[in-house]
Amino acid sequence: MAEHSAIILEEITDPAELARARAQDERHRRNQEWLAAHWSSLLPRARGQFVAVAREEAFIAPTAAEAWAWVESAHPDDDGAIVRYV
């Protein structure tokens, strides 16, 4: 028998929480745009690897776990970091 998970949607109205989420979205957007603008400097070296971008800086790693570990150690304050498999 299949288990069903409930999906709960909540409206967030707290101004501080909304500001935090907007700031995180902005950090994520900047990292995405940085990656889009710097692909040519990462390829072909990044092919078959994971690219982490945090604070508009890249790191190439063989595994996603290593890429996220770099994010945590190098830029723990960037909650808009990204990791992509190339």
Side-chain angles (χ1 to χ4, degrees), residues 25-40:
D25 288 347
E26 177 61 19
R27 287 185 289 276
H28 181 80
R29 184 192 62 74
R30 281 196 308 262
N31 286 324
Q32 291 275 48
E33 288 179 357
W34 186 94
L35 180 59
H38 291 85
W39 273 119
S40 63

Side-chain angles (χ1 to χ4, degrees), residues 68-82:
W68 283 115
W70 172 82
V71 168
E72 286 299 315
S73 67
H75 301 293
D77 59 325
D78 189 349
D79 59 357
I82 58 173

